[in-house]
């Protein structure tokens, strides 16, 4: 007996065994470290992604403005003194801006230098002055200090985005312009303000004037169409498949179809929209209506699958009780099953809508990539959507648009976070465990 | 006008429900127990008869109106205008439409255009008025007829429920119609493409340069449609993405299911899901503006020549996007392995990692393969990342540092912008779309079959 024990100690307790065990434990620790490392990589990617977006996007929410002493010269704007909106609308507002700039730097002479000086101020200043005068014609003939946006190059310089150590020919702001900007800053005429234009205007060729409101409205209209189509159709299909459909080949076919549609690449839905909605039915290009229809077909499987799961989780006893007191099958569904399944259905729908909001590829196919300045006023007006706007700006060579791209991503992500939070809250607040 | 009509119609339907319900209540003077159906069913039935025929009429009108009005305008035009070639005639009509809408036309409108515009405006007004009258009378007619048929023993509930059931079936058929629509539209356009370019050339050719001349008199290449470089580019980027996503996703899944405490799991899982919820265009921006320049700089430091649109940047970022997809699917399969298998292995003295490597993973292998196949199908169909970060030129290369193009990139570049639906260039996009659809379909079907069979094994 003692011998046997000694033997066992011999196999499991000698130097070789201890070494083996150490190796096995080391392998165990390594394996665990791989797992942690994998999670670390995924988390790191997320952090880097969000940090790089935030870092380059935050500056876009501020903007630099210049206070100019504008003289609304009656001779220039309205020589006949009519104060007719037509006359005022056609007048040249670039001259008062140039005059105000020239009065700040009386020493500047020569065409080239004047043009460089005028380049400090955004081209949008002219439009904003026109709007001001049209809204208040009594301004004509008076002087007032007006804040006008600086051009994107000057703005980028003030935000420290332009490397001044490069030779002059390799940057967008000349030495002389830098001197002017610093002079203006010294005189206290340059202010950094919150960029309301970015949130309230449509797209523009000038980065300092471009905003996301047009794209946001386009996205909203598109999502509205998507919701109106996919929610009722999806819930109805789920009700049919869960509550009424007989188990046969036909319903199997529908089921296989839905599962496959959920995995079809989104761009294929775009091809469908192009071939069927645009070419066959002749619906207008770039319209939120068509975008919404395509996205509705895309999100339909998500809505159906989520609704079926929610309906399935309602216990059969509820149906039987309702049937027992004389309700018809449809009354059972409408008055008992659907209200109980609604939180789950809504959660699934919101998640589907969030996916649709971030979708870009199918919208490219149906022409929602057009350069649209106006805020769309209906589901048939040409429009673009938030993710498409991000795509368009990311493609633009101007560095100021890079900032806008990241800022637009922040806005899009904010919408997505809100929607997902709503889904989570809905689930936690209303979902019942049976 | 149309808004007013729609409001009127909605009001009519609402009043139909109300009259139907009240009528039923009046019929059952001695209490509702003598009615076969509840009064609201009578109301719904009348509302259906009021709204449905009008709706059918409305859809038909929307489909037919433009063609009908155009035909009437054309027939009223002078003979010499009517005998113009069809393209010219279409332009006259188009200009007339613009003039009627008060917009500016590209050309100075001629007398025939002005005449057509006048006709168009007049016809539209009359036709609109006539149609509105017809629509409202159909709705009111349906309402009165249905109301007159109400009796205490009228089986309103059965009829209404039948209508609802039919609409439920119709809704579930939408999924099938979508698939049919996808298949038909892809095949229809692809067949037109294969009439211009032989399938053998498309599937086996090694040169892809789809830039054909748009007009016949333009100077330009005739275009080459050998899709092999496009397919191989897709394959290269997919392989890179999988090389990132599968190890990272699989190890995270293993750690989460077998090592992590419930608290860690509750935090890490949702964070990983965030990666799946970020829109692909954001990954595209990240790949094109952050990762690609970084890789390029890094490569320069090593003395390597990295293209600014390298396959590596696009593939790596796509891999990051797919990590949560792989990890959550694998997590499901790994958790589904019965604990008896694990405990048996522990009982023999195996460590945790030995158990996972030798028992759990082999048992879960079919499920993991299925998850990987689904991930591959996602990678093949992914569009925005590659559109923004991968190249346009179809290089036949396996070097991940060079630029390659993919099927989805080509579809987007061929279809965005001006389109002419008789050029091989535009149609080629649909042929590529067909290949893409079939490839992802096959991958999905195979993956789902593998996963299902595996699930049955342990259930």
């Amino acid at each position: 007996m003692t011998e046997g024990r000694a033997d066992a100690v011999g196999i499991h307790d000698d130097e070789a065994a201890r070494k083996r065990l150490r190796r096995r434990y080391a392998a165990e620790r390594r394996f665990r470290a791989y797992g942690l490392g994998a999670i670390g990589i995924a988390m790191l990617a997320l952090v880097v992604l969000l940090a790089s977006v935030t870092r380059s996007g935050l500056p876009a929410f501020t903007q630099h403005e210049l206070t100019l002493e504008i003289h609304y010269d009656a001779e220039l704007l309205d020589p006949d003194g009519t104060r007719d909106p037509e006359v005022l609308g056609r007048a040249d507002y670039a001259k008062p801006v140039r005059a105000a700039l020239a009065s700040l730097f009386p020493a500047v002479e020569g065409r080239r230098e004047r043009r460089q000086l005028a380049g400090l101020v955004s081209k949008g200043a002219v439009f904003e002055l026109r709007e001001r005068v049209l809204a208040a014609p009594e301004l004509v003939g008076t002087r007032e200090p007006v804040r006008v946006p600086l051009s994107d190059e000057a703005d980028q310089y003030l935000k420290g985005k332009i490397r001044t150590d490069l030779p002059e020919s390799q940057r967008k702001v000349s030495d002389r312009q830098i001197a002017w900007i610093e002079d203006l800053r010294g005189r206290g005429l340059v202010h950094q303000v919150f960029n309301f234009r970015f949130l309230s205007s449509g797209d523009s060729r000038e980065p300092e004037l471009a905003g996301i409101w047009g794209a946001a409205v386009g996205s909203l209209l598109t999502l509205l169409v998507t919701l109106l189509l996919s929610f009722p159709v999806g819930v109805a299909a789920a009700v049919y498949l869960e509550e009424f459909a007989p188990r046969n080949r036909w319903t199997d076919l529908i089921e296989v179809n839905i599962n496959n549609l959920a995995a079809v690449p989104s761009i294929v839905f775009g091809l469908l929209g192009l071939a069927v909605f645009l070419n066959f039915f002749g619906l207008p290009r770039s319209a939120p209506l068509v975008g919404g229809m395509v996205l509705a077909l895309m999100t339909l499987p998500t809505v159906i699958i989520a609704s079926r799961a929610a309906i399935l989780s309602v216990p059969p006893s509820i149906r039987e009780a309702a049937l027992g007191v004389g309700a018809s099958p449809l009354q059972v569904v409408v008055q008992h099953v659907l209200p109980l399944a609604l939180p789950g259905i809504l959660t699934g729908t919101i998640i589907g809508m969030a996916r649709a909001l971030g979708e870009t590829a199918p919208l490219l196919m149906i022409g929602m990539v057009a350069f649209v300045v106006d805020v769309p006023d209906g589901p048939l007006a040409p429009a673009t959507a938030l993710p498409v706007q991000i795509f368009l700006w990311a493609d633009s060579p101007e560095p100021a648009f890079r900032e806008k791209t990241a800022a637009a991503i922040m806005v899009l992500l904010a919408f997505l976070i809100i929607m997902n939070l709503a889904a989570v809250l809905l689930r936690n607040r209303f979902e019942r465990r049976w | 006008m149309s808004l007013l009509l729609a409001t009127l119609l909605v009001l009519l339907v609402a009043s139909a429900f109300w009259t139907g319900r009240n009528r039923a209540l009046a019929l059952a003077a001695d209490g509702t127990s003598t009615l076969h159906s509840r009064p609201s069913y009578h109301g719904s039935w009348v509302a259906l008869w009021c709204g449905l025929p009008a709706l059918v009429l409305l859809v038909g009108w929307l489909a037919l109106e433009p063609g009908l009005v155009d035909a009437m305008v054309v027939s009223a035009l002078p003979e010499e205008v009517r005998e113009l070639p069809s393209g010219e005639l279409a332009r006259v009509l188009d200009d007339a439409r613009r003039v009627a809408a008060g917009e500016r036309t590209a050309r100075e409108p001629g007398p025939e255009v002005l005449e057509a515009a006048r006709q168009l405006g007049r016809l539209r007004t009359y036709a609109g008025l006539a149609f509105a009258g017809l629509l409202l009378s159909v709705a009111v007619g349906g309402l009165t007829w249905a109301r007159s048929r109400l009796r205490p023993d009228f089986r309103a509930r059965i009829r209404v429920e039948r209508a609802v059931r039919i609409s439920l079936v119709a809704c579930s058929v939408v999924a099938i119609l979508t698939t049919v629509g996808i298949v038909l539209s892809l095949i229809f356009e692809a067949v037109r493409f294969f009439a211009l370019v032989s399938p053998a050339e498309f599937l086996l050719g090694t040169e892809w340069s789809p830039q054909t001349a748009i007009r016949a008199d333009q100077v330009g290449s005739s275009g080459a449609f050998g899709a092999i470089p496009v397919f191989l580019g897709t394959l290269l980027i997919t392989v890179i993405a999988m090389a990132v996503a599968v190890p990272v996703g699989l190890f995270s899944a293993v750690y989460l299911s077998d090592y992590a405490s419930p608290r860690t799991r509750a935090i890490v899982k949702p964070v990983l899901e965030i990666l799946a919820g970020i829109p692909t265009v954001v990954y595209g921006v990240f790949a094109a503006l952050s990762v690609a320049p970084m890789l390029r700089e890094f490569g320069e430091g090593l003395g390597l020549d990295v293209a600014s649109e390298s396959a590596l940047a696009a593939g790596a970022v796509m891999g990051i996007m797919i990590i949560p997809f792989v990890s959550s699917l694998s997590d499901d399969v790994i958790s589904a392995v019965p604990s008896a298998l694990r405990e048996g292995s522990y009982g023999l003295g195996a460590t945790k990692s030995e158990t996972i490597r030798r028992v759990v993973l082999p048992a879960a292998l079919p499920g993991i393969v299925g998850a990987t196949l689904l991930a591959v199908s996602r990678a093949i169909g992914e569009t925005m990342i590659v559109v923004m970060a991968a190249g346009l030129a179809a290089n036949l290369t396996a070097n991940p540092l060079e630029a390659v193009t993919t099927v989805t990139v080509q579809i987007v570049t061929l279809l965005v912008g001006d389109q002419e639906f008789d050029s091989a260039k535009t149609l080629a996009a649909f042929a590529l779309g067909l290949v893409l659809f079939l490839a992802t379909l096959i991958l999905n079907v195979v993956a789902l079959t593998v996963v299902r069979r595996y699930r049955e094994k342990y259930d």
Side-chain angles (χ1 to χ4, degrees), chain B residues 42-72:
Chain B
H42 288 91
S44 305
W45 189 70
V46 179
L48 274 180
W49 267 105
C50 171
L52 268 187
L55 197 67
V56 171
L57 197 67
L58 187 68
V59 170
W61 171 252
L62 286 180
L64 290 179
E65 188 247 20
L68 208 67
V69 170
D70 279 1
M72 287 168 77

Side-chain angles (χ1 to χ4, degrees), chain A residues 294-309:
Chain A
V294 171
L295 292 183
L297 292 182
M298 205 193 76
T299 45
L300 198 58
T302 319
V303 177
I304 295 179
I305 291 169
S307 306
R308 288 187 67 177

Side-chain angles (χ1 to χ4, degrees), chain A residues 24 28 49 257 263 279 328 331, chain B residues 161 179 259 349 353-354 421:
Chain A
R24 285 175 65 201
E28 171 72 26
L49 174 67
N257 239 304
N279 287 350
S328 74
Q331 283 172 325
Chain B
E161 294 202 345
T179 310
Y259 284 102
S353 65
E354 284 162 355
F421 266 79

Side-chain angles (χ1 to χ4, degrees), chain A residues 24 28 32 36 38-39 42-43 49 236 240 244 257 261 263 265 271-272 275 279 285 328 330-331 358 360 394 416, chain B residues 41 161 169 172 175-176 179 181-182 185 248 255 259 271-272 278-279 286 349 351-354 388 415 419 421 444:
Chain A
R24 285 175 65 201
E28 171 72 26
R32 207 186 150 98
L36 269 178
I39 291 179
M43 299 270 206
L49 174 67
Y240 176 71
F244 297 112
N257 239 304
L261 276 184
L271 289 174
L272 169 77
N279 287 350
R285 281 174 72 81
S328 74
L330 201 70
Q331 283 172 325
T360 323
L416 290 178
Chain B
Y41 277 106
E161 294 202 345
V169 175
S172 68
I176 291 197
T179 310
I182 289 176
S185 59
V248 175
Y255 188 85
Y259 284 102
V271 174
L272 282 185
I278 292 177
F286 183 57
T351 65
K352 224 169 185 179
S353 65
E354 284 162 355
M388 299 176 80
L415 286 183
Q419 300 159 353
F421 266 79
N444 288 327

Side-chain angles (χ1 to χ4, degrees), chain A residues 24-25 27-28 31-32 34-36 38-39 41-43 45-46 48-49 52 233 236-237 239-240 244 250 253-254 257-258 260-261 263-265 267-269 271-272 274-276 279 285 297 300 328-331 358 360-361 364-365 369 387 390-391 394 402 405 409 412-413 416, chain B residues 41 157 161 164-165 168-169 171-176 178-179 181-182 185-186 248 251-252 254-255 259 268 271-272 274-275 277-279 281-282 285-286 289-290 320 349-354 356-357 381 383-384 387-388 408 411-412 415-416 419 421 430 433 436-437 440-441 444:
Chain A
R24 285 175 65 201
Y25 282 166
E28 171 72 26
F31 194 78
R32 207 186 150 98
Y34 294 154
L36 269 178
I39 291 179
I41 291 176
M43 299 270 206
L46 181 64
V48 169
L49 174 67
S52 81
V233 174
V239 164
Y240 176 71
F244 297 112
W250 175 243
L253 181 70
I254 295 180
N257 239 304
I258 291 169
N260 271 326
L261 276 184
V264 167
I267 193 169
V268 172
F269 285 98
L271 289 174
L272 169 77
L274 174 60
V276 174
N279 287 350
R285 281 174 72 81
L297 292 182
L300 198 58
S328 74
L330 201 70
Q331 283 172 325
T360 323
L364 300 184
M365 297 288 94
V369 277
I390 292 169
F391 168 68
R402 186 171 287 204
T405 309
I409 290 177
L412 178 64
L413 289 183
L416 290 178
Chain B
Y41 277 106
R157 193 189 82 197
E161 294 202 345
V164 173
R165 270 206 198 204
L168 290 185
V169 175
C171 284
S172 68
V173 170
V174 170
I176 291 197
T178 310
T179 310
I182 289 176
S185 59
L186 289 180
V248 175
F251 269 114
S252 328
V254 165
Y255 188 85
Y259 284 102
V268 172
V271 174
L272 282 185
I274 294 179
L275 276 178
I278 292 177
V281 68
V282 176
V285 172
F286 183 57
L289 301 184
S290 302
I320 292 173
T351 65
K352 224 169 185 179
S353 65
E354 284 162 355
I356 292 166
R357 268 180 297 163
T383 310
M384 291 322 292
V387 165
M388 299 176 80
T408 47
I411 294 176
V412 170
L415 286 183
V416 170
Q419 300 159 353
F421 266 79
F430 283 90
L436 179 68
F437 178 71
T440 52
L441 185 72
N444 288 327

Side-chain angles (χ1 to χ4, degrees), chain B residues 131-454:
Chain B
F131 172 72
L134 185 66
L135 193 74
L136 291 181
S137 50
V138 163
V140 171
L143 189 155
T144 32
W145 180 78
R147 187 177 174 278
S148 71
R149 290 206 45 197
L150 296 184
R151 301 277 176 275
D153 61 347
F154 182 73
R155 274 143 175 69
R157 193 189 82 197
I158 303 210
R159 285 157 201 263
V160 170
E161 294 202 345
R162 193 187 301 144
V164 173
R165 270 206 198 204
I166 291 173
S167 69
L168 290 185
V169 175
C171 284
S172 68
V173 170
V174 170
I176 291 197
L177 286 184
T178 310
T179 310
V180 170
I182 289 176
V183 171
L184 282 188
S185 59
L186 289 180
I187 287 183
F188 183 69
E189 305 287 352
V191 163
R192 284 174 62 193
F193 172 72
F194 288 129
L196 298 171
V197 177
S198 80
E201 190 195 331
F202 176 70
L203 291 174
L204 302 173
T206 56
E207 194 174 335
W208 178 268
S209 63
Q211 292 308 321
T212 45
I214 288 178
R215 289 197 315 272
D217 54 340
Q218 236 173 356
V219 187
S221 62
S222 59
F225 292 95
I228 289 285
V230 182
F231 296 151
L232 283 183
T234 311
L235 195 67
L236 179 64
I237 289 190
T238 307
V239 166
I240 296 171
M242 287 300 120
V244 173
V246 170
V248 175
L250 198 54
F251 269 114
S252 328
V254 165
Y255 188 85
L256 284 179
S257 68
D258 280 59
Y259 284 102
S261 64
R263 255 192 69 190
T264 323
R265 213 179 132 85
I267 297 171
V268 172
K269 264 204 107 160
V271 174
L272 282 185
E273 299 293 321
I274 294 179
L275 276 178
I278 292 177
T280 54
V281 68
V282 176
Y283 283 106
V285 172
F286 183 57
L289 301 184
S290 302
V291 176
M294 208 182 69
L295 271 181
R296 200 177 149 77
E297 232 165 77
F298 186 68
E300 266 169 18
L302 294 178
L304 290 171
D305 187 22
V306 183
S308 58
E309 297 183 321
S310 64
L312 190 58
V317 173
M318 194 192 281
I320 292 173
M321 186 195 79
I322 295 176
I323 289 173
F325 197 69
V326 176
S327 81
S328 77
L329 282 175
S330 315
D331 193 13
D332 290 348
V333 226
I334 291 172
S335 307
V337 173
S339 49
L341 288 182
R342 285 191 181 85
E343 281 149 15
S345 170
Y346 294 150
L348 290 172
T351 65
K352 224 169 185 179
S353 65
E354 284 162 355
T355 306
I356 292 166
R357 268 180 297 163
R358 307 229 173 116
V359 177
V360 177
L361 287 185
L365 194 63
I368 293 172
V369 170
T372 312
L373 287 182
L374 284 179
V376 169
S377 114
R378 277 290 287 273
I380 292 178
E382 173 44 46
T383 310
M384 291 322 292
I385 296 177
V386 280
V387 165
M388 299 176 80
L392 289 178
N395 296 326
L396 197 55
T397 173
N399 180 356
L401 302 180
E402 280 182 41
V404 294
T405 191
T406 73
V407 173
T408 47
V409 172
Q410 288 307 316
I411 294 176
V412 170
T413 40
L414 292 175
L415 286 183
V416 170
D418 292 328
Q419 300 159 353
E420 263 188 45
F421 266 79
D422 41 12
S423 80
K425 182 186 153 197
T426 313
L427 295 173
F430 283 90
L432 287 175
L434 185 64
V435 173
L436 179 68
F437 178 71
L438 289 180
T440 52
L441 185 72
I442 292 168
L443 278 171
N444 288 327
V445 169
V446 171
L448 287 177
T449 325
V450 170
V451 171
R452 189 175 304 150
R453 196 165 294 164
Y454 160 82

